[in-house]
Amino acid sequence: MRTIAVTGAASGICAATADRLKREGHRVIGIDVQPCDIVADLGTPEGRSHAAERVAELSGGTLDGLVSGAGLGPYAEPEDVIRVNYFGALAILDDLKPLLERGTEPAAVAISSIGAIFVEVAPDQAIPECLDACLAGDEEAAVAAIRGHSGTDAYSLAKRALALKVRSHAVDWGADGVRINAVAPGSTETPMLEEIFRHDEIGGPVRMLPIPIGRSAPPEELASVICFLLGPDARFVHGAIIHADGGSDCVVRPTAL
Ligand SMILES: NC(=O)c1ccc[n+]([C@@H]2O[C@H](COP(=O)([O-])OP(=O)(O)OC[C@H]3O[C@@H](n4cnc5c(N)ncnc54)[C@H](O)[C@@H]3O)[C@@H](O)[C@H]2O)c1
């Protein structure tokens, strides 16, 4: 039995991941702003500290796995998206790394998004001063830089910054024996996607996203990828951004490797 903390565990992909881990006999510590083992708002420094402290208490100071998946959709306020989807997601990874270092074959998985690629293919969506501030760890500068832009811009940028940070963390964390990877989901049937589809401006473009496999995914199909990355079958997978998107990335960025 492994002990695995999962943020965003009250809904969607992370709830499916928590369910699967529990079915496999693992102990899950769920963290969410909605009712969960630990209730915390990862958009605030206080909420992040509270979450990390409670995970340390409940786990006894040792974690074998961590999923940093809590997030807001592109329909949310851009400032909130930057705070939750980047700074909250990253703080949980960084704050809980010492617990992972004490675990057995420890592994962390961050949830990025197919949205991360749009900063690359639609340069008008790039906001370099915000991306730079994210990567420099300057939350207030990043929030100031995103003001006046859309939630979609903030979402793509936060998910791109998170994926980049996973890659740079892989370089540092490898020596400490902690694997870290990201999954970049495409259209996945969760409350977030339902809200996106209901949105007047965002719904249309997201529905148009080409999916070569011809369908969206139930959240369990993302949970299986996350559980693979957490587990022993992925022992040599480190610093990878795994696109689980039915092939959407191959259409949008056919030459990207
Ligand atoms: N559904 C998709 O199509 C899709 C595609 C790409 C990436 N993703 C990413 O996958 C992850 C899971 O999304 P989902 O589709 O399951 O969405 P969801 O809305 O079903 O679940 C997200 C969870 O995060 C929690 N959360 C939101 N803000 C929080 C905060 N401030 N503090 C703590 N918890 C907070 C919510 O309460 C919710 O339980 C997200 O990071 C999302 O960006 C989803």
Side-chain angles (χ1 to χ4, degrees), residues 104 124 197:
T104 303
D124 56 314
F197 282 165

Side-chain angles (χ1 to χ4, degrees), residues 7-15 31-34 40-44 68-73 75 84-85 111-115 155 159 184-193 196 219:
T7 74
S11 178
I13 293 170
C14 295
I31 304 142
D32 207 291
V33 73
Q34 300 186 64
D41 179 356
L42 299 177
T44 68
S68 185
L72 293 168
Y75 41 76
V84 176
N85 292 16
I111 306 191
S112 177
S113 171
I114 181 74
Y155 186 87
K159 293 298 189 181
S187 294
T188 310
E189 297 144 13
T190 68
M192 182 183 290
L193 189 64
I196 289 171

